[in-house]
């Protein structure tokens, strides 16, 4: 017998053939009608996925609430029950736990639990173009490594001084002493740099350190942002020539305790209090997955007393 179904309002709206099932062509003639364009045999998995998302969202909310109350107990609870901890220490522990819970959720669900809080992410990035790029990768890259190109390295206002051995380049103390005696020293070492997008990050150096000859490159004011600093001079002057690779585990780990300890000791911290608060807000409220940022090998030259050129 022929199909004698009466054309309904859906057919009239879509302009389909009277009597035809409007979803048939896209459902591969599924025998059970379902939403237009969605095969009916996919409905149970889709429902299961939505159920999983809802359950995971509930679990995430419970975890964040638990850690929030846990912070209050850590600080204000009785000492015999584990309370009375320093605020900064308890803050780091609970914020990092919250961040890991949100990261775990984000690994499972690309849509994220709070897409409206993308505005918070934009606030965190501010006007820093590399912060914005890296934050976008944090939110949508699902943990894949991120290669930093030379143009992106130049885009970041970065403090690097290979001859500042007190804090940033202690691994070069002995090579510098040997080079000042006239030795050409092979260098394969790790130093540190600092900028807003990567924080305090490691730099892997390979090259040679030797007495300088000729005219140095660069200048004293390589970046106005660092005019309050002065590159370290040596006597006699030295030069490093080689390559560098920047790397950073781009996550939102709280370091409030490190900041407080540094202040007590009269030292400066790489991440100030306001920056720690920004980090905490993103870690707790913005969905994303930590990733490894690794630069391509970049040629670098630095004369002592001058900023590096790369």
């Amino acid at each position: 017998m022929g199909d004698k179904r009466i054309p309904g309002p859906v057919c009239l709206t879509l302009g389909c053939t009277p009597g035809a099932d409007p979803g048939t062509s896209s459902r591969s003639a599924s025998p059970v009608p379902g939403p237009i364009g969605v095969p009916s045999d996919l409905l149970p998995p889709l429902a299961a996925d939505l159920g999983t998302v809802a359950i995971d969202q509930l679990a995430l909310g419970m975890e964040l609430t638990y850690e929030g109350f846990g912070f209050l107990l850590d600080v204000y609870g009785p000492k015999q029950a584990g309370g009375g901890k320093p605020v900064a220490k308890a803050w780091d522990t609970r914020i990092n736990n919250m961040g890991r819970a949100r990261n775990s959720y984000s690994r499972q669900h690309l849509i994220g639990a709070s897409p409206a809080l993308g505005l918070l992410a934009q606030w965190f990035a501010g006007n820093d173009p590399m912060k914005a790029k890296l934050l976008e990768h944090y939110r949508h890259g699902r943990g894949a490594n991120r290669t930093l190109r030379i143009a992106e390295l130049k885009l970041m206002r970065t403090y690097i001084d290979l001859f500042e051995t007190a804090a940033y380049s202690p691994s070069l103390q002995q090579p510098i002493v040997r080079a000042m005696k006239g030795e050409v020293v092979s260098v394969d070492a790790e130093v540190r740099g600092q900028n807003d997008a990567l924080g305090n990050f490691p730099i892997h150096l390979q090259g040679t350190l030797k007495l300088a000859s000729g005219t140095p490159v660069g200048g004293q004011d390589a970046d106005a942002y660092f005019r309050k600093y002065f590159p370290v001079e040596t006597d006699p002057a030295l030069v490093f020539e080689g390559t560098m690779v920047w790397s950073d585990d781009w996550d939102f780990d709280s370091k409030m305790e490190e900041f407080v300890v540094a202040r007590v000791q009269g030292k400066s911290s790489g991440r100030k209090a306001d920056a720690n608060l920004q980090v905490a807000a993103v870690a707790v409220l913005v969905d994303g997955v930590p990733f490894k940022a690794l630069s391509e090998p970049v040629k670098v030259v630095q004369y002592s007393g001058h900023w590096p050129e790369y």
Side-chain angles (χ1 to χ4, degrees), residues 4-139:
K4 295 182 180 180
R5 284 179 293 178
I6 299 173
V10 174
C11 276
L12 296 177
T13 302
L14 298 178
C16 56
T17 304
D21 179 354
T24 297
S25 60
S26 59
R27 291 204 315 271
S28 301
S30 171
V32 182
I36 296 174
V38 179
S40 61
D41 56 356
L42 287 183
L43 291 178
L46 285 174
D49 287 345
L50 291 175
T52 300
V53 171
I55 292 172
D56 286 352
Q57 284 187 352
L58 178 61
L60 175 61
M62 292 176 64
E63 175 68 16
L64 297 181
T65 302
Y66 169 81
E67 295 296 341
F69 280 115
F71 169 75
L72 296 177
L73 291 174
D74 288 344
V75 176
Y76 301 109
K79 289 188 177 181
Q80 58 269 29
K85 293 185 177 68
V87 173
K89 183 179 181 65
W91 176 274
D92 285 349
T93 299
R94 298 301 178 170
I95 291 297
N96 289 335
N97 287 347
M98 290 181 183
R100 282 191 287 270
R102 187 163 288 284
N103 294 153
S104 179
Y105 178 91
S106 300
R107 286 188 178 92
Q108 300 297 321
H109 308 293
L110 181 62
I111 59 172
S114 50
L117 289 168
L119 292 175
L120 175 64
Q122 295 176 14
W123 162 77
F124 173 80
N127 295 321
D128 189 315
M130 275 309 299
K131 252 190 186 179
K133 285 185 178 184
L134 295 173
L135 189 56
E136 182 71 10
H137 191 78
Y138 174 80
R139 295 178 64 203

Side-chain angles (χ1 to χ4, degrees), residues 117-257:
L117 289 168
L119 292 175
L120 175 64
Q122 295 176 14
W123 162 77
F124 173 80
N127 295 321
D128 189 315
M130 275 309 299
K131 252 190 186 179
K133 285 185 178 184
L134 295 173
L135 189 56
E136 182 71 10
H137 191 78
Y138 174 80
R139 295 178 64 203
H140 302 293
R142 289 204 162 188
N145 289 350
R146 172 67 157 75
T147 300
L148 301 174
R149 306 299 182 188
I150 176 63
E152 293 179 323
L153 268 59
K154 291 183 176 181
L155 197 60
M156 292 181 266
R157 299 183 302 180
T158 304
Y159 177 88
I160 301 175
D161 187 356
L162 306 183
F163 299 94
E164 199 290 292
T165 58
Y168 288 90
S169 306
S171 61
L172 295 185
Q173 287 179 348
Q174 292 306 312
I176 287 174
V177 171
R178 290 164 55 194
M180 290 175 66
K181 295 179 180 178
E183 184 178 347
V184 177
V185 183
S186 293
V187 171
D188 188 342
E190 183 178 289
V191 298
R192 302 197 72 80
Q194 181 180 334
N195 61 43
D196 288 341
L198 301 178
N200 288 297
F201 62 95
I203 300 173
H204 182 221
L205 291 177
Q206 286 186 314
T208 57
L209 190 62
K210 59 186 179 181
L211 291 173
S213 61
T215 303
V217 298
Q220 294 294 114
D221 309 338
D223 191 327
Y225 185 66
F226 293 116
R227 280 180 182 166
K228 59 183 177 180
Y229 304 106
F230 295 94
V232 175
E233 296 186 57
T234 62
D235 187 17
L238 302 177
V239 60
F240 172 84
E241 297 176 307
T243 60
M244 64 178 179
V245 174
W246 298 10
S247 63
D248 184 51
D249 293 318
W250 217 80
D251 53 13
F252 288 88
D253 58 330
S254 181
K255 296 181 178 179
M256 189 67 80
E257 185 180 22

